[in-house]
Amino acid sequence: MVAEPTGTSAEPTAKPTKRTAKSATKRTAKPAKSAAKPAAKSAAKPAAKSAAKPAAKSAAKPAAKSAAKPTTESIGKPAAKPESHLAMVRRARRINRELAEVYPYAHPELDFRNPFELLVATVLSAQTTDLRVNQTTPAVFAKYPTPEDMAAAVPEELEEAIRPTGFFRAKAKSLIGLSTALRDQFGGEVPGRLEDLVSLPGVGRKTANVVLGNAFGIPGLTVDTHFGRLVRRWKWTEQEDPEKVEAEIAAIFPKSEWTMLSHRVIFHGRRICHSRKPACGACPIAHLCPSYGEGETDPEKARKLLKYEMGGYPGQRLSPPADYPGKAAPARVE
């Protein structure tokens, strides 16, 4: 009897439970939709804005950065970024190494057989070509083979013998004077010290270094017109005075390189890097030269400017070294 009321009371409670579930479902479903819509809208709008803004910023920033960055053309310009001393020294030494590959046969271009002949030939080479000196000295050395012979020379006869080299009166005076000094002060021998050589009449540091480097094997820098012109073009120095040029270049290279460096630079100046019209378009070290473009840059036109063996012509020596790739110079004076 007790079970029935319990059963009947269970049924009414079951129905409200279903209604509660449905109403709960409906009530929760509606807010879910309304919550979903604002969420979608709010999510879409900020996402679109946030996506658009970073895109605009990211597009603008790289453009600004790329515009601000220097191009490869502007990087190499000295005005934009001056070369440091260390960078110049490294470039200078690299030029020397590459010139050594171009001119492995570089040598003094004056014919001589002993220190006295080299000293005389170097004095005669002032304001003229080594070729003209080489064409003149065979007869001079045949007549005046020693300092004693030249010291006793009749000035007018010596002047006539060296006339083709130009400035023959001044040169004859220097040759007689230095020969007399060699005879009287050095026992007829050419000294192997710089301070002794520069004490001789008509002998400066350039001549002394030529003799020391090539007759005695003592390193020296030959600062002639070619050497001075090229080291200034290459921005190794801004000095004009030969002694100051020598001092600054000597500080860049080890002493063991001085003599051969001189030969390589002078060779390059005579064959390719000319004074008035350098053959830039045929220059093997153009990529290292800050003055590239001063001369002819067209390769075909530049090749026509090459001189001596580089252009297929004879060199300056009548008897060049065995490894010299060019032809010997003509023996006659033109």
Side-chain angles (χ1 to χ4, degrees):
M1 295 298 291
V2 178
E4 290 181 4
T6 306
T8 54
S9 62
E11 289 179 2
T13 55
K15 289 180 181 178
T17 304
K18 290 182 181 178
R19 285 196 299 268
T20 306
K22 287 181 181 179
S23 61
T25 307
K26 287 180 182 179
R27 281 196 296 268
T28 54
K30 286 180 181 179
K33 288 181 181 178
S34 61
K37 287 180 181 178
K41 287 181 181 179
S42 61
K45 287 180 180 179
K49 288 181 180 179
S50 61
K53 285 180 180 179
K57 287 181 181 178
S58 61
K61 285 181 180 178
K65 287 183 180 179
S66 62
K69 286 183 179 179
T71 61
T72 52
E73 293 178 359
S74 64
I75 289 175
K77 293 181 180 179
K81 188 179 181 181
E83 184 179 43
S84 68
H85 180 73
L86 178 59
M88 180 276 290
V89 170
R90 288 174 175 170
R91 180 172 57 83
R93 293 182 176 184
R94 185 178 173 188
I95 287 176
N96 182 42
R97 291 194 299 270
E98 296 199 13
L99 287 180
E101 295 178 2
V102 178
Y103 308 109
Y105 49 86
H107 60 274
E109 295 191 85
L110 291 169
D111 287 324
F112 69 97
R113 295 169 295 183
N114 54 59
F116 177 64
E117 289 189 354
L118 179 57
L119 178 59
V120 171
T122 307
V123 171
L124 292 177
S125 68
Q127 306 298 317
T128 190
T129 65
D130 286 359
L131 172 58
R132 184 54 56 97
V133 174
N134 292 336
Q135 293 171 330
T136 304
T137 51
V140 175
F141 295 150
K143 191 172 184 178
Y144 310 105
T146 67
E148 291 82 359
D149 295 321
M150 191 165 285
V154 177
E156 291 77 14
E157 293 180 0
L158 180 57
E159 289 173 6
E160 189 59 32
I162 65 173
R163 180 184 288 270
T165 65
F167 302 95
F168 54 90
R169 290 189 179 88
K171 290 179 180 179
K173 184 178 179 180
S174 294
L175 290 178
I176 292 175
L178 70 85
S179 296
T180 302
L182 291 176
R183 181 194 64 192
D184 299 342
Q185 299 174 29
F186 299 99
E189 299 292 333
V190 176
R193 296 197 313 163
L194 180 67
E195 53 267 36
D196 293 334
L197 285 168
V198 296
S199 71
L200 301 174
V203 178
R205 290 185 66 89
K206 184 199 83 169
T207 299
N209 282 325
V210 169
V211 174
L212 289 174
N214 298 287
F216 293 100
I218 300 173
L221 288 170
T222 304
V223 184
D224 67 354
T225 55
H226 300 288
F227 190 95
R229 183 181 75 251
L230 266 63
V231 297
R232 283 187 288 273
R233 272 185 180 165
W234 294 335
K235 311 301 181 186
W236 295 0
T237 181
E238 294 180 354
Q239 300 293 338
E240 296 283 344
D241 180 78
E243 288 193 27
K244 292 180 179 179
V245 171
E246 181 184 342
E248 291 199 2
I249 304 306
I252 297 174
F253 296 92
K255 194 173 183 179
S256 59
E257 286 290 314
W258 290 357
T259 299
M260 287 309 300
L261 171 70
S262 300
H263 291 324
R264 293 164 191 152
V265 173
I266 293 171
F267 255 58
H268 193 65
R270 287 173 172 171
R271 286 149 178 77
I272 296 177
C273 195
H274 313 133
S275 176
R276 295 182 182 177
K277 199 171 185 181
C280 294
C283 180
I285 58 165
H287 57 292
L288 298 171
C289 181
S291 299
Y292 175 79
E294 285 187 9
E296 180 58 65
T297 58
D298 180 82
E300 291 299 325
K301 293 179 180 178
R303 272 192 285 272
K304 295 178 182 179
L305 300 174
L306 301 180
K307 295 183 179 179
Y308 301 112
E309 78 280 359
M310 301 298 287
Y313 305 110
Q316 298 201 73
R317 295 193 66 168
L318 275 61
S319 53
D323 61 346
Y324 179 67
K327 301 176 182 177
R332 63 188 180 89
V333 178
E334 297 178 356

